[in-house]
Amino acid sequence: MKQNKYDDPTFFTEYAKMPRSIDGLAASGEWQALRETLPDFRGKRVLDLGCGYGWHCQFAYEHGASEVVGIDISAKMIERAIELTHAGNVRYEQTAIEDFEAAPGSFDIILSSLALHYVRDLGPVFAKAAELLASGGTFCYSVEHPLFTSREQQDWSYDADGQIAHWPVDNYFHEGQRTTAFLGADVVKYHRTVESHFKALLAAGFSVESLVEPAPPMEMVKEKGWEDELRRPMMLILRAVKA
Amino acid sequence: MKQNKYDDPTFFTEYAKMPRSIDGLAASGEWQALRETLPDFRGKRVLDLGCGYGWHCQFAYEHGASEVVGIDISAKMIERAIELTHAGNVRYEQTAIEDFEAAPGSFDIILSSLALHYVRDLGPVFAKAAELLASGGTFCYSVEHPLFTSREQQDWSYDADGQIAHWPVDNYFHEGQRTTAFLGADVVKYHRTVESHFKALLAAGFSVESLVEPAPPMEMVKEKGWEDELRRPMMLILRAVKA
């Protein structure tokens, strides 16, 4: 059973309060790094797996994509995306990432932002991505960093005074389900190693072009008091090309 | 000033007592993964950066390399390599990794095992590696994992009963020198992120073919009681090809 947490009304309401939900890409610590890693959208057919509010679809459209499809398992997300970011050639569709179907070679760029850690098996999804891409097409995605997802708690270790001591890692090589607390609910994510991401891409016929561990830009660190974000990586971005 | 810790007699004596020093590759938890990542040596000219006792040079020679050069900054290491693993077409030379010189295109394979975390700047070393390799040549190396080198202590966090609680990570994005205790001495290593390894390879003109986080094989875990080695990655292996 695929998780559709975002159609839980309480969860969706909490998600709507996050800075990245209110202010979009500019409020996301990883956006600058992701933007630098994304390919040129001009004239490209783009698919966004787990599009959420559609900020990345909007960005692709505004940067010259010839066609943009955003899919999400959550009806509420798709509804919100249509309200917020629907424009021009952007099309939204309520579908789970694992279930999306289209003709082989239908896209030039597939992207996915912070959605694939909700997917149990990367293999079939990456194989589908390779099939949907035209030859030479680009697959670019961000996920929570394996160092961040190793423990279910996904929280810092604190010292006796309640100050952050360090980031704890454990069970790194024990891949699989982690049930973590997020926005007041239990959310199921899947922990896998950096190696597993890399190997899954190779197995699907991709070459890996970029591996990025985004840290927030220094001006955001200062402005938002995010110094602790420099103590451990929270996200991982990979860009791969279909050979 | 390049560090030459292995010519310190006490340090060298302590190093000689490590299982990997006594029993060679078979006693190294990462060897099976490294072996699977190494390219075919048959007919190839091979350079080993930081060869230590020369186990990898011997392996390359025994697997068909046409020529093998092992370099190490430590005179004691080179002396020991000549005693232990000198055979056939293997040549050892006492030189720092940063200082080695040879004609462009002199090698088909460059490898390095657990030496590059002692090097302050990867950029010039990777540029040199690219220059020394023939077109299509392979660069394959292991280093201590960035998750392992983030803190100077390089030790577990323990609970009140003295049991391992987890592996602590801190200052991940603060790259640079770490002075860590190893074999009873202070050793200077350089922490860098996974992204930095990847980018340094790309910047030198390589494509990254493999990224491996070696866990010891399960039979070693059981035999040696290494269950804790599955709790965090200790090493990182990268294989890249000169475009």
Side-chain angles (χ1 to χ4, degrees), chain B residues 30-41 45-51 56-57 59-60 97 107-116 125-126 129-130 133 136-143 197 201 206-214 236-242:
Chain B
E30 82 282 12
W31 169 239
Q32 188 169 308
L34 179 59
R35 182 180 176 157
E36 286 168 10
T37 313
L38 287 170
D40 187 347
F41 286 110
R45 301 162 297 165
V46 177
L47 171 65
D48 183 353
L49 302 174
C51 63
H56 300 89
C57 290
F59 182 85
I97 290 172
F107 297 96
D108 305 301
I109 297 169
I110 299 181
L111 53 100
S112 181
S113 169
L114 299 180
L116 294 174
V125 170
F126 285 12
L133 280 172
T138 299
F139 181 30
C140 183
Y141 68 89
S142 65
V143 284
H197 279 278
L201 287 167
F206 289 103
S207 300
V208 182
E209 287 187 324
S210 301
L211 181 156
V212 177
E213 294 172 305
L236 177 68
I237 298 172
L238 287 157
R239 191 181 77 202
V241 63
K242 180 179 171 177

Side-chain angles (χ1 to χ4, degrees), chain B:
Chain B
M1 181 59 197
K2 290 149 205 137
Q3 180 181 242
N4 181 2
K5 205 74 197 174
Y6 290 90
D7 274 349
D8 172 325
T10 312
F11 191 81
F12 192 75
T13 305
E14 288 305 310
Y15 180 78
K17 296 176 188 168
M18 290 184 77
R20 66 173 62 221
S21 306
I22 298 164
D23 296 322
L25 301 177
S28 307
E30 82 282 12
W31 169 239
Q32 188 169 308
L34 179 59
R35 182 180 176 157
E36 286 168 10
T37 313
L38 287 170
D40 187 347
F41 286 110
R42 282 174 295 181
K44 303 294 186 186
R45 301 162 297 165
V46 177
L47 171 65
D48 183 353
L49 302 174
C51 63
Y53 283 16
W55 300 120
H56 300 89
C57 290
Q58 185 181 44
F59 182 85
Y61 163 67
E62 288 174 357
H63 287 77
S66 64
E67 185 195 334
V68 182
V69 177
I71 66 156
D72 205 287
I73 195 174
S74 156
K76 285 182 182 295
M77 279 294 192
I78 292 296
E79 201 179 297
R80 196 88 181 89
I82 291 170
E83 283 167 24
L84 274 180
T85 57
H86 198 215
N89 52 18
V90 179
R91 182 164 67 81
Y92 289 116
E93 183 178 324
Q94 188 202 348
T95 322
I97 290 172
E98 297 90 333
D99 300 335
F100 180 71
E101 298 283 348
S106 300
F107 297 96
D108 305 301
I109 297 169
I110 299 181
L111 53 100
S112 181
S113 169
L114 299 180
L116 294 174
H117 46 253
Y118 296 128
V119 168
R120 183 190 293 267
D121 297 314
L122 290 186
V125 170
F126 285 12
K128 173 70 70 69
E131 185 195 323
L132 295 180
L133 280 172
S135 182
T138 299
F139 181 30
C140 183
Y141 68 89
S142 65
V143 284
E144 287 185 351
H145 197 289
L147 188 152
F148 188 78
T149 56
S150 74
R151 292 168 77 247
E152 295 208 310
Q153 293 85 340
Q154 294 201 179
D155 194 9
W156 299 96
S157 281
Y158 299 91
D159 63 21
D161 300 326
Q163 300 299 304
I164 289 175
H166 53 251
W167 182 264
V169 169
D170 209 344
N171 299 313
Y172 186 80
F173 288 111
H174 297 277
E175 300 189 297
Q177 188 174 317
R178 303 289 191 270
T179 304
T180 72
F182 179 49
L183 302 175
D186 282 344
V187 179
V188 172
K189 298 176 185 174
Y190 295 91
H191 167 70
R192 41 185 74 94
T193 66
V194 180
E195 174 184 320
S196 286
H197 279 278
F198 208 96
K199 283 203 168 143
L201 287 167
L202 297 186
F206 289 103
S207 300
V208 182
E209 287 187 324
S210 301
L211 181 156
V212 177
E213 294 172 305
M218 280 315 291
E219 56 275 21
M220 272 182 110
V221 168
K222 280 178 196 151
E223 188 194 319
K224 295 177 188 278
W226 279 356
E227 285 76 11
D228 293 331
E229 294 302 313
L230 303 180
R231 299 175 71 171
R232 54 102 182 90
M234 191 178 174
M235 295 176 198
L236 177 68
I237 298 172
L238 287 157
R239 191 181 77 202
V241 63
K242 180 179 171 177

